[in-house]
Amino acid sequence: MGTLTNTNEFTNSGKRRNKSIAWDHFTVEGERAICNQCKKSFAYICGGKLAGTSHLMRHFSSHISPASRLSNPKNNMLSIDKPDAKTNVSADLARKRFRATPGIAPLIFDQDRYNRDIAKMIILCDYPIHMVEDMYFISFVRSLQPQFSLVNVSTIEEHIKDIYFRTKQSLSNLLAEIPCRISLTLDLLVSNQSLGYVFITGHFVDCDWKLQRRMLNVITLPYIDSKIAFNRAVSACLADWNLSNKLFTLTLDNAYINESLKENLRGFMSVNNPLILNGQLILSSCYARTFCDLAQDALMLFRETVDKVRRNVFYVKASELREEKFMQLKQQLQVPSMRNIILDDLTRWDTTYHMLMAAFELKEVFSCLGTLDPDYALTLSIQEWIQVETLCMYLSHFYDAVSLLTAPVYPTSNVFFDEVWKIQLELMHGTTSQNLLVRYITTPLLEKFDRYWRGCCLFLATAVMMDPRFKMMLVEFSFNRIYGADAETWIRTVDEGVHELFLEYVVQSLPPPTFVEYPHESVEGTYIAQDVDFLSTLDGFSSDFDIYIGLMNNQHMKSELDQYLEECLLPWVQDFDVLGWWRINESKYPTLSKMAFDILCIPVSSVSPDSVFDTGNRRVDSYRGSLHPQTLEALVCAKDWLQYEKSESLYESPSAMVKRGNKN
C-alpha cells in the first residue's frame, strides 16, 4: 500500500515546500542560502546531508535583540526547534547570563517583612490603617507579588506598635545619657468630639552636643477645661520617660492656656524642679502663635483692600488666556520683579503675605491690564496700593521672625532675641510716626506685642548672653534703644537674674558637705570643712548656701560667669555653632557650660515647624479621632522618630533583598 502524502506540502512545480520559518529570512541561490540581513552565504543542498536549517536559525538568532524577541513572538520561534542543547539559543543565553552574575539566588518571599514595610509606609505617609483591607490595594499588591496573603487592620496595628516600641527603646536610651536637663513644649489639639490631645515634645542636647527635638507623647485629655489637665499630662510624660529629675522648662500653646492653668503649672514646676528658680521657668506665650495673631490682626485692619487684591489675582489666575496676557504685559512694561502672582491659602498667613508682595511688585501690570482686557474692572487705587505696601512692610518683619523656626536645623534660643527686640522697637517707633496710616496699623499691634515682649524679654536676654558674640553688649544696646532713661533698671534686672541662676548651678555642682567638729572649743553643731579659720565669722549665716556665698566674697574670687562676661566678644559670623563653642570651652567654664546648655535648648514655640504659619487652632481629624489613643500615639511618635533612625531603608536594592532572603 502506498504512503499518503499531503498535497499541500508540494508546490505547483512538484517541489516540496520549505516549511521552516528560517526561509522568511534566507534566500536560496543554487546550493547556497543567503542571509537577507548580512548577505552571508551558508551551505544548503536540498535532500543532502546539509539540507537542515538549524545552522541557519542559529545565525539569524544573532541578529535578534532582546527587545525584539519580546515584541515579536515569531522571533522567539527561531529558538524553539529541537530539544537539542546546541540549537536551544534561549537556554544558551540564559546560561551565559547566569554565569555573568554569580551569587544571585531567587528572592525568598517573606510575608512578615512585607507586613512591616506596609506598617512603616502607613506611619510615614499618614495613610489610613484600613487601606490594607481595601480591594484595590489588595489587587495592586497581588499583581506585584501573587504570594502576598491578605492582612487585616489588627495585624498591621500590631506591626505599627512593634515599630513604635522598638524606636521608643532607642530614644529612651538616648534620653538616659543626655548631659543636661530637658525642656518640654505642650501643643493642644481638639477633635470633633471635643476631646483634647496634648502633643508633648522634648528639647535637649545629646551626648554629641547637638540640639535635639523629639515627640515624646500624645496624651488624651477627656476634659480640656480641667485646671489640672496639663499637670497630669506632664506628670504622665515624665513618668513614662524617667525624666522627673531632668525637667527644666515648659513652653505652652497660648491658644488654650489661661492664667488659672498657668498658675497650676507653676505650682507643679515648683515641686518637680525646685532647684532652678523655684521651678518658675514657664514660657506661657508661643513665639509662632504670637506672630500669627499679629499677622492676622494686621490683615484684618485692611481686610477690604486685601480682599480686593485677592479678587484681582483670582481674575487673572482663573483663565490661562488672561494669565498669558498678564505675563506679556509684564514683559512689555519691563517690570523687574521675579515674583509670580499666586492665590493665597486662607489657612496659612504666609501665603497671603506672598500674594500681597507679588501683587504690589506687579502693581503696574495690574494698573495697565485694562488696556488689553476690556472685561478687567478691579483696578486698585493709589491709596489702596499704599495700604498694601505698608501692610507688607510689617508682615515682612513677622515673616522673617517666624521663618527661623522652619530652618532645616531647629535653632537654639539665643537667635530669637535679635528678632524680637527689633520688632518691639519698630512698633514703638510706628506709634509715634507722623504717618497716620503707620500709626493706624502699629498702635493695636504694639499693645498685643508688648505683652509678649515683657513676658519673654528677660529669658531671651539671658539666652543671648550665652552667645559669646553678644553677651551683655547686645542686651545693653537694645534696652537703651527701647527704654531710654529707664534702660538701666531693665539691664540690672537681667544681670541679677543671670547671677542668681548661676549661683544655683554652682550650689548643685558642689560635692556633698563634709562635717567636722570645731577643734578649739566645744560647739554644738558642725561646720563645712573648708577654710576653718574663716568659719568663725559666719555665725549670722543660716544655710550652707549662705556659707558658700560668704566664702566666695571673702576670698574675692571671680566667678566663671564674671570671667566669661569680661572677656572680649567673638567676631560675628553668620553660621555660628554656639553649642559647639561651649563644648570646646566646657573645661574652662564647667559650671557655666551646664547652665548654657539648659538655656540654649529652651524652645520658644510649642507648634511643629510645618505649622508655624497656620491660622486658627489645629484639630485632630475625624479619622485620627476615631483611633484608640495608644494607636494614635504610636502613629504620631513613630513617624517623628523614624526620621532619625539609622537602620535599613524602606526601599532596598535587589541584591540586598536577595542577601536578606538567603539569610532567612
Side-chain angles (χ1 to χ4, degrees):
M1 182 178 292
T3 303
L4 294 177
T5 304
N6 186 352
T7 57
N8 292 330
E9 294 181 1
F10 296 88
T11 63
N12 294 333
S13 61
K15 294 183 178 181
R16 183 180 296 273
R17 292 180 182 274
N18 294 325
K19 295 188 293 182
S20 173
I21 61 175
W23 298 113
D24 293 338
H25 308 283
F26 288 85
T27 302
V28 177
E29 295 183 0
E31 296 182 351
R32 308 291 294 180
I34 309 300
C35 177
N36 294 338
Q37 290 193 35
C38 65
K39 303 304 179 182
K40 190 173 182 178
S41 174
F42 295 89
Y44 175 75
I45 302 175
C46 183
K49 184 177 180 181
L50 299 177
T53 58
S54 298
H55 64 303
L56 303 181
M57 289 189 292
R58 284 196 297 273
H59 168 73
F60 181 70
S61 295
S62 65
H63 292 305
I64 303 174
S65 66
S68 119
R69 292 179 189 274
L70 294 174
S71 60
N72 189 355
K74 269 190 169 184
N75 293 334
N76 285 328
M77 295 177 64
L78 289 174
S79 63
I80 306 174
D81 188 29
K82 297 179 181 180
D84 188 355
K86 295 181 180 179
T87 63
N88 195 338
V89 178
S90 297
D92 185 52
L93 292 175
R95 285 194 296 274
K96 290 181 180 179
R97 286 195 298 269
F98 181 78
R99 287 196 296 269
T101 55
I104 299 297
L107 179 62
I108 299 176
F109 175 73
D110 185 349
Q111 176 73 41
D112 191 60
R113 171 70 185 191
Y114 282 117
N115 291 346
R116 291 197 302 271
D117 285 348
I118 290 174
K120 186 178 288 188
M121 178 186 69
I122 289 173
I123 291 171
L124 293 173
C125 301
D126 293 326
Y127 292 144
I129 300 177
H130 58 261
M131 69 175 288
V132 298
E133 296 181 351
D134 184 87
M135 58 180 294
Y136 297 106
F137 174 78
I138 296 171
S139 175
F140 170 72
V141 174
R142 281 189 167 173
S143 68
L144 300 177
Q145 176 51 265
Q147 299 181 56
F148 182 79
S149 301
L150 294 177
V151 292
N152 54 33
V153 170
S154 299
T155 301
I156 294 300
E157 280 187 342
E158 290 302 316
H159 282 287
I160 290 173
K161 292 177 181 178
D162 179 69
I163 293 172
Y164 165 75
F165 286 117
R166 175 174 54 82
T167 50
K168 182 176 183 178
Q169 184 58 51
S170 300
L171 179 57
S172 181
N173 296 338
L174 176 64
L175 290 174
E177 299 174 353
I178 59 175
C180 66
R181 296 175 181 271
I182 188 170
S183 293
L184 303 180
T185 60
L186 279 64
D187 190 19
L188 178 64
L189 277 70
V190 180
S191 70
N192 295 332
Q193 294 78 27
S194 297
L195 289 176
Y197 297 87
V198 180
F199 289 66
I200 303 180
T201 305
H203 301 251
F204 57 93
V205 176
D206 64 17
C207 295
D208 295 325
W209 308 86
K210 299 295 183 182
L211 181 62
Q212 300 290 347
R213 179 182 182 276
R214 295 290 194 280
M215 180 72 68
L216 297 182
N217 293 98
V218 179
I219 310 287
T220 305
L221 301 181
Y223 307 103
I224 59 176
D225 296 330
S226 172
K227 294 182 179 180
I228 60 173
F230 286 91
N231 298 33
R232 290 177 176 175
V234 176
S235 294
C237 175
L238 297 178
D240 190 21
W241 296 95
N242 296 319
L243 296 172
S244 297
N245 61 340
K246 290 187 175 182
L247 179 62
F248 189 52
T249 67
L250 292 176
T251 303
L252 313 176
D253 178 0
N254 48 316
Y256 290 98
I257 302 297
N258 54 42
E259 287 300 323
S260 177
L261 289 175
K262 284 189 287 187
E263 287 304 318
N264 279 316
L265 282 171
R266 285 194 178 94
F268 171 83
M269 287 287 290
S270 65
V271 173
N272 287 271
N273 185 16
L275 299 178
I276 304 298
L277 299 181
N278 199 28
Q280 297 301 299
L281 292 178
I282 296 180
L283 305 179
S284 58
S285 295
C286 171
Y287 181 87
R289 293 287 191 184
T290 298
F291 284 106
C292 179
D293 292 343
L294 290 171
Q296 287 184 286
D297 289 349
L299 291 169
M300 283 299 294
L301 291 172
F302 300 103
R303 57 184 177 276
E304 294 181 359
T305 302
V306 172
D307 186 61
K308 193 170 183 179
V309 172
R310 186 179 292 114
R311 285 186 282 122
N312 270 266
V313 173
F314 179 77
Y315 177 84
V316 175
K317 300 289 289 185
S319 168
E320 292 184 4
L321 181 60
R322 294 174 189 167
E323 191 168 6
E324 184 178 346
K325 289 181 179 179
F326 187 89
M327 296 305 296
Q328 290 175 354
L329 186 58
K330 175 185 175 183
Q331 294 177 356
Q332 292 175 7
L333 296 173
Q334 297 182 350
V335 178
S337 174
M338 300 300 294
R339 296 179 183 267
N340 294 318
I341 55 173
I342 60 168
L343 195 62
D344 62 335
D345 177 358
L346 296 181
T347 65
R348 292 178 60 91
W349 69 264
D350 60 318
T351 62
T352 305
Y353 161 66
H354 289 308
M355 179 189 71
L356 294 173
M357 280 294 296
F360 177 74
E361 292 184 7
L362 299 170
K363 62 181 183 297
E364 295 179 41
V365 185
F366 280 106
S367 299
C368 299
L369 187 59
T371 60
L372 292 180
D373 188 351
D375 296 330
Y376 176 71
L378 298 171
T379 306
L380 277 74
S381 65
I382 296 177
Q383 184 62 31
E384 288 172 327
W385 282 121
I386 293 176
Q387 291 179 8
V388 173
E389 181 183 19
T390 305
L391 180 57
C392 286
M393 179 176 64
Y394 289 98
L395 288 179
S396 67
H397 297 317
F398 305 155
Y399 176 79
D400 292 340
V402 177
S403 294
L404 293 175
L405 296 171
T406 62
V409 179
Y410 201 82
T412 48
S413 58
N414 58 300
V415 304
F416 296 98
F417 179 82
D418 195 45
E419 294 290 337
V420 174
W421 84 263
K422 289 178 181 177
I423 293 176
Q424 174 73 8
L425 183 64
E426 188 76 26
L427 294 176
M428 290 176 62
H429 286 172
T431 58
T432 59
S433 172
Q434 295 181 354
N435 188 320
L436 295 177
L437 190 60
V438 171
R439 291 209 304 271
Y440 173 73
I441 188 174
T442 55
T443 300
L445 296 183
L446 177 62
E447 182 180 352
K448 175 172 288 188
F449 189 75
D450 191 61
R451 291 196 296 269
Y452 175 75
W453 166 255
R454 291 179 180 273
C456 74
C457 68
L458 297 182
F459 152 68
L460 294 179
T462 303
V464 82
M465 283 182 59
M466 297 294 104
D467 190 329
R469 299 171 299 170
F470 303 115
K471 300 183 182 179
M472 276 296 291
M473 297 294 289
L474 183 58
V475 176
E476 294 170 357
F477 174 78
S478 58
F479 281 9
N480 277 301
R481 296 284 302 277
I482 293 173
Y483 296 113
D486 298 329
E488 188 60 34
T489 302
W490 287 86
I491 294 171
R492 186 168 57 253
T493 301
V494 173
D495 185 70
E496 291 175 353
V498 171
H499 279 81
E500 179 184 354
L501 184 59
F502 173 72
L503 285 176
E504 294 198 25
Y505 275 85
V506 170
V507 173
Q508 292 180 57
S509 64
L510 288 176
T514 302
F515 294 94
V516 296
E517 188 176 55
Y518 193 75
H520 300 298
E521 60 183 22
S522 177
V523 180
E524 292 184 4
T526 55
Y527 298 93
I528 299 178
Q530 298 182 37
D531 201 349
V532 176
D533 293 336
F534 177 67
L535 290 177
S536 59
T537 65
L538 302 179
D539 293 338
F541 290 92
S542 59
S543 67
D544 293 341
F545 176 64
D546 292 331
I547 293 175
Y548 173 77
I549 295 176
L551 285 168
M552 295 283 287
N553 293 333
N554 179 72
Q555 297 173 4
H556 302 287
M557 295 177 61
K558 189 172 292 185
S559 70
E560 293 177 23
L561 177 59
D562 292 329
Q563 293 179 39
Y564 165 76
L565 292 176
E566 290 177 5
E567 289 183 352
C568 296
L569 301 180
L570 291 184
W572 188 89
V573 290
Q574 184 171 4
D575 298 323
F576 179 69
D577 182 6
V578 65
L579 290 175
W581 187 89
W582 280 103
R583 177 185 184 181
I584 295 172
N585 291 273
E586 182 186 13
S587 58
K588 184 177 181 180
Y589 304 112
T591 303
L592 188 60
S593 62
K594 294 179 182 179
M595 173 178 161
F597 283 126
D598 287 344
I599 291 175
L600 291 172
C601 72
I602 295 177
V604 300
S605 178
S606 65
V607 299
S608 58
D610 59 344
S611 302
V612 296
F613 293 107
D614 288 354
T615 58
N617 300 320
R618 294 184 299 137
R619 302 185 69 86
V620 173
D621 58 45
S622 57
Y623 161 67
R624 290 199 163 188
S626 66
L627 297 174
H628 190 278
Q630 291 182 352
T631 303
L632 175 60
E633 183 176 52
L635 286 169
V636 173
C637 293
K639 180 181 179 180
D640 180 76
W641 302 338
L642 284 175
Q643 63 180 314
Y644 303 101
E645 191 180 53
K646 297 180 180 179
S647 62
E648 62 183 8
S649 172
L650 175 63
Y651 301 103
E652 297 178 292
S653 64
S655 59
M657 296 177 69
V658 170
K659 290 179 182 178
R660 174 172 48 79
N662 291 338
K663 290 180 181 179
N664 293 338

